[in-house]
Amino acid sequence: MKIGIACDHGAVEYKTEIIAMLVEQGHEVIDCGCDGKESVDYPDYGYKCAKLVQSGEVEKGIVMCGTGIGIGISANKVKGIRCGLCFDTTMARLTREHNDANMLAVGQRTTGIEVVKDIVNTFLTTPFSNGERHIKRI
Ligand code: RB5
């Protein structure tokens, strides 16, 4: 799968780890930055990744910041984006099944890396349930 990924300075370590995992799994990853610890503004990176999803250049987007909140809000301002902030694999499964989320937000300060890896894997492998009530809502 082709996947976009972005973070702010608060989640560079997780971005590096998740990219390595995704590449190892055979995914193609477009890295939207940022790349260092210098303070940046998360909307710049959330927007960049969301535009890749909106245009169809990538199938899914993953964004990260300290909490996942700021960069997730930024992504959700782009038309057509449904970005779900997830703390566990149940949320990851349900945001795919019920919301047909095309982007995932996670936080480096709030969620352990092993949990984030499981969240990412659940998010990428769970299909939308396609139920009539969910289609109507999204
Ligand atoms: C950056 O200081 C921090 O505000 C950001 O990473 C994130 O937690 C915002 O939602």
Side-chain angles (χ1 to χ4, degrees), residues 7-11 39-40 42 64-73 107-110:
C7 68
D8 76 353
H9 55 282
S39 184
V40 296
Y42 53 74
M64 311 171 171
C65 63
T67 58
I69 297 172
I71 202 160
I73 289 173
Q108 179 168 304
R109 294 173 70 178
T110 54

Side-chain angles (χ1 to χ4, degrees), residues 49-126:
C49 189
K51 291 299 282 185
L52 287 181
V53 176
Q54 184 193 48
S55 70
E57 193 171 335
V58 298
E59 198 174 318
K60 295 269 176 359
I62 301 170
V63 290
M64 311 171 171
C65 63
T67 58
I69 297 172
I71 202 160
I73 289 173
S74 307
N76 274 316
K77 289 185 179 179
V78 174
K79 191 172 167 52
I81 297 304
R82 294 178 301 281
C83 181
L85 172 63
C86 296
F87 302 132
D88 58 39
T89 53
T90 304
M91 294 177 79
R93 176 175 61 81
L94 289 171
T95 202
R96 286 291 309 129
E97 287 180 353
H98 289 195
N99 313 121
D100 196 16
N102 48 16
M103 290 188 69
L104 167 70
V106 292
Q108 179 168 304
R109 294 173 70 178
T110 54
T111 313
I113 185 63
E114 292 304 318
V115 176
V116 167
K117 286 179 180 174
D118 289 343
I119 287 171
V120 168
N121 286 324
T122 302
F123 174 76
L124 293 176
T125 55
T126 305

Side-chain angles (χ1 to χ4, degrees), residues 12-22 113-114 117:
V12 178
E13 292 87 352
Y14 274 25
K15 178 167 70 69
T16 304
E17 287 221 36
I18 295 303
I19 289 174
M21 181 187 80
L22 294 173
I113 185 63
E114 292 304 318
K117 286 179 180 174

Side-chain angles (χ1 to χ4, degrees), residues 24-41:
E24 169 76 28
Q25 292 172 347
H27 295 290
E28 190 183 337
V29 179
I30 298 186
D31 184 354
C32 302
C34 74
D35 296 313
K37 300 299 291 174
E38 193 184 323
S39 184
V40 296
D41 298 325

